[in-house]
Amino acid sequence: MKKLSMVDKGFLLAENREMPMHVGGVSLFTLPEGVDEQEFLHNLAHTIRNTDALLPPFGDRLKLGRAGLMGNAQWEPDPALDMEYHVRHSALPKPGRYRELFTLVSRLHGTLLERSRPLWEMHLIEGLQNRQFAVYTKTHHAAVDGARSVHISRSMLSSDPNYVLENSPLSLESWHRYKEALLAGQQGLPTEEELRNVADMLKSTFDSSANLYRALKGFTKAWAGRGGDLTLPHLRVPGSVLNSRVDGARRFVAQSWPFARIHRLGKAYGGTFNDAVLGMCAGALRTYLINHAELPDQGLKAMVPVSLRQKGDVDSGNAVAAISADLSTHIADPAERIRAIMASVQAGKAFYQGMSPKEVELVSMLMQSPSALFMPLGLTPRLPPYNVAISNVPGIRETMYWNGARMDGSYPLSIVTDGMAMNITLVTYGENVDFGIIACRRSLPQVQRLIDYMEEALCDLEVAAGFNDAANEGKSKPRRKAAARKKSVAKKKVTKAKTTTEA
Amino acid sequence: MKKLSMVDKGFLLAENREMPMHVGGVSLFTLPEGVDEQEFLHNLAHTIRNTDALLPPFGDRLKLGRAGLMGNAQWEPDPALDMEYHVRHSALPKPGRYRELFTLVSRLHGTLLERSRPLWEMHLIEGLQNRQFAVYTKTHHAAVDGARSVHISRSMLSSDPNYVLENSPLSLESWHRYKEALLAGQQGLPTEEELRNVADMLKSTFDSSANLYRALKGFTKAWAGRGGDLTLPHLRVPGSVLNSRVDGARRFVAQSWPFARIHRLGKAYGGTFNDAVLGMCAGALRTYLINHAELPDQGLKAMVPVSLRQKGDVDSGNAVAAISADLSTHIADPAERIRAIMASVQAGKAFYQGMSPKEVELVSMLMQSPSALFMPLGLTPRLPPYNVAISNVPGIRETMYWNGARMDGSYPLSIVTDGMAMNITLVTYGENVDFGIIACRRSLPQVQRLIDYMEEALCDLEVAAGFNDAANEGKSKPRRKAAARKKSVAKKKVTKAKTTTEA
């Protein structure tokens, strides 16, 4: 029986009814032509449920000793595994727009997983318009981390529309077949679990590792806003409504934008795709705070992952570091704002100079952990030095199919905690970037508006960059309904968002 | 601001993620002819949400002091009441049978209410066959007791199919109108809340009330199986799978039977409607334990409410006492079994002899409380002296309408706790008796079979009573699908259950 790591236990210890510690995703699919929805979904559910040997930890439940989570915690096979319980069939009320989907997914994401069973659920959701259906999955962060769940999603998808799954995608067979294909062909990314193992190992030798100690000490100082030249100016984190206490109700919204559109914008400002994403989010958050709350005098700080790899450098691999970027939300001019953001990203990268890759990994992992984790882990209970997390999950660039059903988008749902009431996660898929925003429903009312505000911010940046074709660039695909824009903050011509997103 | 009573706090203290302390109900309606389902349900949701002044506690949330629930707890108006959160729209996957409805309701009943908001949810559920829709409501036992929720349901229903609600049924206006009608016309039943107030008052003067002390002392002795002649033979409670620990997942099933059929059966054995219900449940539980678990050597004990009123006695009003009846599940012969049950009901009534009505009320209230409540209340932590609760809620004998939609049935969902993994509650409505069975999904697998077993038990008793027309009596109404019987335990001709109930 596999023991739980300290980090895994941390997620369980930190969890309560207001702060579930599961992550999720909702994927949109289009039914293959000519098939009957009911039959297709029933067959799909049957295939997923029908497995003898499940990939760990999908068949495993928690086994705690007398000391509970403070003692020895292991995974043990659930003696009465009930696949009907885990794989569920749901439906949307009419008219079955994305609005109804987001409402349902918001509710599903707000309820706790059952601790006496394997810590996951999968919901096949029917009732969408235009022959689409959706799949919402929910896995506890203690059981499956983000990277592994991406792998699991991938293992059940195929770029071949004629490929039909024989085994459950949760079965060991499917997993082995996927791993073989991965080893034979494409290069696998290092998983988050690998990072976590490193960190666990490092933590267990905490006092004996001088390098680690140095990294952590510097990190903690910068975190706390002390420490001489280690104190980065962008680490002054303003108070905001984004950093309220949360209750248990969530609001989820999602939207896709063309990757090329955002990438082109980043280049126009001499920056990256990631810089343009931050520019979009910064503009949207500024508008949201002005309209629905109060805009702080200082710029909001965002935790973002950045690549530390220099141009032409292939040795350092996919070194990704978490930094706190200044979203410069106090700056009204969009071009000036994005340049300030880019400068702060550069400063954030400089913070990691002189650290070994392992140290970078550890510090980044700590920075990305929900703040609620720190106390159970015995680390500083201070809030992390940012107002909001904007995470970028590498996705799949090909169009994928699940038993012939085309995947149209895949939107992540992360965790919100006290002091961190919103999470923005984006996944690249096909030619799009799929954004998923999850927020506390009470402290961040009408957060669904952010989707419109992001489109507006994108347009403002495009106009400021001198693009004249901005209005055509982001046009909706014909199969998606164009959203009616509620109001134009910047009062200029903008493109339309691709999905109707008010939930 | 209204303070919470000790009993209310008990429900909150006893609650955890495996044992939610809310009660619920699911009602079936048929859409009025000619109306569009989508429009009708949207209008209904709009009317319910659209109110300024809500009947307490529907607009109120918990306000706790520094000592939490151990200190001063009050109800305060929710400063950001979000009616969209409370009044929800849901849908069933195709084919939209009762099976899909029960699956959804089981899930909804298994999740915790959000403590920072008013402790209730209402779900309008579309997608049923035959122009039916369903409404599932969920209210915390600390906020609304069973009797009050019956009153609230009634206040939004009318026996006039042409009556259209103007105000939200949760509004103060609707409540006042309902109360006026009640005072002017029919006689209101004493509410459970009234009983509870009596008990609270009595408890606060615990040591000074000699009578109460005597009653409680006798009760506790009988409870513990000690105390000389107070020890009733039927209080020897066998261990059974019904008394396992529970996890957080539930299974709900429901079914209606004609009141006249069950009533006639009771009379045939010289007993009451209630005796026949116990006979039905006893036979079904016997079959369930034989097929799915292990049948104890001794009869299962059931907590049941009985009327203490003697024939011709009108003064004592609706004196209802909770007794522990011996279901005599160890007896194979159905006629012999029901006679043993009737004898134990008589013995149970005798236990209350010499008690004042107030004492009867208090003891009954204690007996009906979930065992998990006892510790927070400072009472004996022993399990109550029964294996299962079979509660009988007085309902409405007229056919009722909600904005013109005919109510076809109304099924209660109660609470299960550690040591009490199943609850059977029945409501009389129209010409039917509507049974709702809720159970822990893990410790009581395939509990949906109980519905078939109840029908079988009813037939066995009818045959044993010499009824020849048993097979015709319980015929399904044409608009409901007859359930295919899985197997005949008694190997004789039986009637069909009225709804397909496997979830």
Side-chain angles (χ1 to χ4, degrees):
Chain A
M1 285 189 291
K2 198 191 154 201
K3 278 177 73 173
L4 271 78
S5 73
M6 204 167 45
V7 175
D8 292 337
K9 279 199 227 173
F11 280 108
L12 293 164
L13 284 164
E15 182 171 73
N16 61 41
R17 55 197 289 169
E18 281 77 39
M19 292 194 288
M21 288 288 163
H22 52 251
V23 291
V26 59
S27 298
L28 291 169
F29 294 89
T30 297
L31 286 167
E33 275 183 45
V35 307
D36 175 69
E37 182 184 44
Q38 193 181 336
E39 195 186 332
F40 187 86
L41 291 181
H42 275 97
N43 288 346
L44 215 48
H46 181 77
T47 307
I48 303 168
R49 288 175 182 147
N50 191 25
T51 174
D52 289 328
L54 281 170
L55 168 68
F58 289 99
D60 298 338
R61 63 174 190 175
L62 280 175
K63 190 192 176 186
L64 303 180
R66 281 174 150 256
L69 280 166
M70 304 309 288
N72 199 0
Q74 299 179 303
W75 296 110
E76 66 165 5
D78 183 346
L81 184 68
D82 180 354
M83 289 295 276
E84 299 253 341
Y85 176 84
H86 294 282
V87 180
R88 301 174 175 198
H89 221 113
S90 296
L92 300 178
K94 287 187 256 317
R97 296 161 300 182
Y98 292 127
R99 175 177 172 155
E100 281 76 28
L101 175 64
F102 296 154
T103 300
L104 176 63
V105 169
S106 302
R107 283 181 211 156
L108 296 176
H109 203 64
T111 62
L112 294 164
L113 287 163
E114 170 55 47
R115 285 242 176 133
S116 66
R117 298 174 183 269
L119 293 169
W120 62 278
E121 291 171 11
M122 179 184 281
H123 299 251
L124 304 181
I125 302 169
E126 66 180 59
L128 272 169
Q129 297 179 339
N130 304 317
R131 286 183 65 72
Q132 282 192 309
F133 69 94
V135 180
Y136 164 73
T137 52
K138 174 171 170 179
T139 44
H140 203 284
H141 213 317
V144 188
D145 55 46
R148 181 147 205 188
S149 62
V150 168
H151 281 307
I152 288 160
S153 305
R154 283 190 195 189
S155 77
M156 60 201 208
L157 297 171
S158 166
S159 57
D160 175 4
N162 297 314
Y163 181 76
V164 175
L165 273 177
E166 278 170 43
N167 301 106
S168 169
L170 305 176
S171 66
L172 272 176
E173 294 101 311
S174 295
W175 181 248
H176 290 318
R177 194 182 323 108
Y178 165 73
K179 274 207 301 191
E180 275 164 32
L182 207 68
L183 292 172
Q186 314 110 290
Q187 181 63 34
L189 297 169
T191 66
E192 204 178 297
E193 194 170 36
E194 283 163 2
L195 294 187
R196 186 185 289 181
N197 289 341
V198 170
D200 276 355
M201 186 270 288
L202 289 173
K203 183 129 181 30
S204 68
T205 56
F206 189 101
D207 289 321
S208 60
S209 162
N211 280 344
L212 177 69
Y213 181 70
R214 185 172 59 81
L216 271 176
K217 203 172 159 197
F219 178 65
T220 310
K221 276 183 181 167
W223 190 302
R226 292 190 301 268
D229 54 349
L230 273 172
T231 309
L232 299 173
H234 65 264
L235 287 186
R236 286 190 213 105
V237 180
S240 86
V241 70
L242 299 176
N243 308 102
S244 314
R245 282 186 73 88
V246 297
D247 72 10
R250 300 286 171 265
R251 178 96 71 170
F252 171 70
V253 280
Q255 176 70 298
S256 300
W257 278 272
F259 178 86
R261 182 179 172 200
I262 301 176
H263 186 249
R264 182 179 78 146
L265 185 71
K267 279 183 79 175
Y269 287 97
T272 63
F273 164 78
N274 213 40
D275 293 331
V277 166
L278 295 182
M280 256 174 98
C281 295
L285 288 168
R286 176 180 159 86
T287 308
Y288 178 82
L289 290 172
I290 288 172
N291 289 357
H292 304 278
E294 204 170 325
L295 184 69
D297 292 339
Q298 291 180 304
L300 291 180
K301 304 304 176 291
M303 189 288 289
V304 287
V306 292
S307 169
L308 294 182
R309 191 163 62 171
Q310 304 294 315
K311 251 190 181 153
D313 164 17
V314 287
D315 286 338
S316 63
N318 289 289
V320 173
I323 63 158
S324 180
D326 189 339
L327 292 181
S328 306
T329 41
H330 56 304
I331 301 175
D333 181 75
E336 201 184 317
R337 195 189 311 126
I338 197 172
R339 287 195 191 97
I341 294 170
M342 287 162 62
S344 84
V345 169
Q346 286 310 317
K349 287 182 181 180
F351 172 67
Y352 286 97
Q353 270 168 9
M355 284 192 201
S356 74
K358 290 275 173 273
E359 289 168 347
V360 169
E361 282 166 2
L362 176 62
V363 170
S364 296
M365 189 208 65
L366 288 176
M367 197 140 163
Q368 290 178 66
S369 296
S371 56
L373 273 187
F374 286 86
M375 267 199 282
L377 289 178
L379 298 173
T380 162
R382 287 183 64 95
L383 290 181
Y386 47 90
N387 299 98
V388 60
I390 303 176
S391 302
N392 189 338
V393 179
I396 315 171
R397 302 306 298 264
E398 282 177 288
T399 299
M400 301 299 277
Y401 296 84
W402 192 21
N403 270 18
R406 185 187 64 223
M407 188 166 88
D408 301 318
S410 184
Y411 306 89
L413 292 92
S414 191
I415 291 172
V416 303
T417 61
D418 281 337
M420 197 62 56
M422 180 193 293
N423 176 290
I424 302 175
T425 302
L426 46 143
V427 180
T428 45
Y429 167 61
E431 297 185 347
N432 282 339
V433 190
D434 296 342
F435 283 77
I437 303 175
I438 186 99
C440 168
R441 190 178 165 113
R442 178 181 290 272
S443 45
L444 296 172
Q446 297 188 291
V447 81
Q448 66 272 22
R449 297 279 167 84
L450 261 187
I451 293 293
D452 288 347
Y453 299 158
M454 283 169 84
E455 174 62 27
E456 281 163 9
L458 197 50
C459 291
D460 289 348
L461 285 166
E462 285 171 336
V463 170
F467 293 1
N468 289 324
D469 57 347
N472 299 318
E473 191 71 17
K475 266 258 174 83
S476 53
K477 290 186 190 171
R479 70 190 147 77
R480 293 200 181 162
K481 278 172 71 180
R485 283 192 59 250
K486 291 292 168 326
K487 63 194 232 193
S488 168
V489 172
K491 306 246 171 352
K492 57 181 83 92
K493 195 180 169 196
V494 295
T495 58
K496 286 180 177 174
K498 285 198 309 182
T499 50
T500 304
T501 48
E502 280 186 54
Chain B
M1 286 187 292
K2 196 192 156 202
K3 279 176 72 171
L4 271 77
S5 73
M6 202 167 46
V7 175
D8 293 337
K9 281 199 228 174
F11 281 107
L12 293 163
L13 284 164
E15 183 171 71
N16 62 40
R17 53 198 287 171
E18 280 76 39
M19 290 194 288
M21 287 287 163
H22 51 252
V23 291
V26 60
S27 298
L28 290 169
F29 294 89
T30 296
L31 287 167
E33 273 182 46
V35 307
D36 175 69
E37 182 185 43
Q38 194 181 334
E39 196 187 330
F40 186 86
L41 291 181
H42 275 97
N43 288 346
L44 215 48
H46 180 76
T47 307
I48 303 168
R49 288 175 182 146
N50 192 24
T51 173
D52 290 327
L54 281 170
L55 168 68
F58 290 99
D60 299 338
R61 64 175 189 175
L62 279 176
K63 190 191 176 190
L64 303 180
R66 281 174 150 258
L69 280 167
M70 303 309 289
N72 199 0
Q74 298 179 305
W75 296 110
E76 65 167 4
D78 184 346
L81 184 68
D82 180 354
M83 288 295 275
E84 299 253 340
Y85 176 85
H86 294 281
V87 181
R88 302 174 174 197
H89 221 112
S90 298
L92 300 177
K94 286 187 260 313
R97 297 161 300 184
Y98 293 127
R99 174 177 172 155
E100 280 76 28
L101 175 65
F102 296 154
T103 300
L104 176 63
V105 170
S106 301
R107 285 182 207 153
L108 296 176
H109 203 65
T111 62
L112 293 165
L113 287 163
E114 170 58 44
R115 284 240 177 136
S116 65
R117 298 174 182 269
L119 293 169
W120 63 279
E121 292 170 12
M122 180 185 280
H123 300 250
L124 304 181
I125 303 169
E126 66 180 60
L128 271 170
Q129 297 178 340
N130 304 319
R131 287 184 65 72
Q132 281 191 310
F133 70 94
V135 180
Y136 164 73
T137 53
K138 175 173 169 176
T139 44
H140 203 286
H141 214 317
V144 187
D145 55 47
R148 183 149 202 185
S149 63
V150 168
H151 280 309
I152 289 160
S153 307
R154 282 190 197 191
S155 77
M156 61 202 209
L157 297 171
S158 166
S159 56
D160 176 4
N162 297 313
Y163 181 75
V164 175
L165 272 178
E166 278 168 45
N167 302 107
S168 170
L170 304 176
S171 66
L172 272 175
E173 294 100 312
S174 295
W175 180 247
H176 290 318
R177 193 178 326 108
Y178 165 73
K179 275 207 300 191
E180 276 164 32
L182 207 67
L183 291 173
Q186 312 109 291
Q187 180 62 35
L189 297 170
T191 67
E192 203 179 297
E193 195 170 35
E194 284 163 1
L195 293 187
R196 187 186 290 181
N197 289 342
V198 169
D200 276 356
M201 185 271 287
L202 288 174
K203 182 133 181 36
S204 68
T205 53
F206 188 100
D207 290 323
S208 62
S209 163
N211 280 344
L212 178 68
Y213 182 70
R214 186 171 59 80
L216 271 176
K217 204 172 158 195
F219 180 62
T220 310
K221 276 186 183 165
W223 190 301
R226 292 190 300 268
D229 55 348
L230 273 171
T231 311
L232 300 174
H234 66 268
L235 286 186
R236 286 189 213 107
V237 180
S240 86
V241 70
L242 299 175
N243 309 102
S244 314
R245 283 185 73 87
V246 298
D247 73 11
R250 298 286 171 266
R251 177 95 71 172
F252 171 70
V253 281
Q255 177 69 297
S256 299
W257 276 271
F259 178 86
R261 182 178 171 201
I262 301 176
H263 187 249
R264 182 179 75 147
L265 184 71
K267 279 183 77 175
Y269 285 97
T272 62
F273 165 78
N274 214 39
D275 293 331
V277 165
L278 295 182
M280 255 174 100
C281 295
L285 288 168
R286 175 179 159 87
T287 308
Y288 178 83
L289 290 172
I290 289 171
N291 289 357
H292 304 278
E294 204 170 323
L295 183 69
D297 292 339
Q298 289 180 304
L300 292 179
K301 304 304 176 293
M303 190 289 289
V304 288
V306 293
S307 168
L308 293 184
R309 191 162 63 169
Q310 304 295 315
K311 252 193 181 150
D313 164 18
V314 287
D315 287 336
S316 63
N318 291 288
V320 173
I323 63 155
S324 181
D326 189 339
L327 293 181
S328 307
T329 41
H330 58 300
I331 300 175
D333 181 74
E336 200 184 320
R337 194 187 313 126
I338 197 170
R339 287 195 192 100
I341 294 170
M342 288 163 59
S344 83
V345 170
Q346 287 309 319
K349 288 183 181 179
F351 172 66
Y352 287 96
Q353 272 168 7
M355 286 192 200
S356 75
K358 291 276 174 266
E359 289 168 345
V360 169
E361 282 165 3
L362 176 62
V363 171
S364 297
M365 189 208 65
L366 289 176
M367 196 141 164
Q368 291 177 69
S369 297
S371 55
L373 273 185
F374 285 86
M375 268 198 283
L377 288 178
L379 298 174
T380 163
R382 288 183 64 95
L383 288 180
Y386 47 91
N387 300 97
V388 60
I390 302 175
S391 302
N392 190 338
V393 180
I396 314 171
R397 302 305 298 265
E398 280 178 290
T399 299
M400 301 299 278
Y401 296 84
W402 193 21
N403 270 19
R406 185 188 63 224
M407 187 163 91
D408 301 318
S410 185
Y411 306 89
L413 291 92
S414 191
I415 291 172
V416 303
T417 60
D418 281 338
M420 197 63 57
M422 180 192 293
N423 177 291
I424 301 175
T425 302
L426 48 143
V427 180
T428 44
Y429 167 62
E431 297 187 347
N432 283 339
V433 189
D434 297 342
F435 283 78
I437 302 176
I438 186 97
C440 169
R441 190 179 165 112
R442 178 180 292 272
S443 44
L444 296 172
Q446 298 187 292
V447 81
Q448 67 272 23
R449 297 279 169 83
L450 262 186
I451 293 293
D452 288 347
Y453 300 156
M454 283 168 83
E455 173 63 25
E456 281 163 11
L458 197 50
C459 292
D460 290 347
L461 285 167
E462 286 171 335
V463 170
F467 293 2
N468 290 324
D469 56 346
N472 299 317
E473 191 70 19
K475 266 253 174 84
S476 52
K477 289 186 190 172
R479 72 192 146 78
R480 293 198 180 163
K481 277 171 72 180
R485 282 194 59 251
K486 290 292 168 325
K487 62 195 232 194
S488 168
V489 173
K491 306 243 169 0
K492 58 181 80 94
K493 196 181 169 197
V494 295
T495 58
K496 285 179 178 176
K498 285 198 306 184
T499 50
T500 303
T501 49
E502 280 187 56

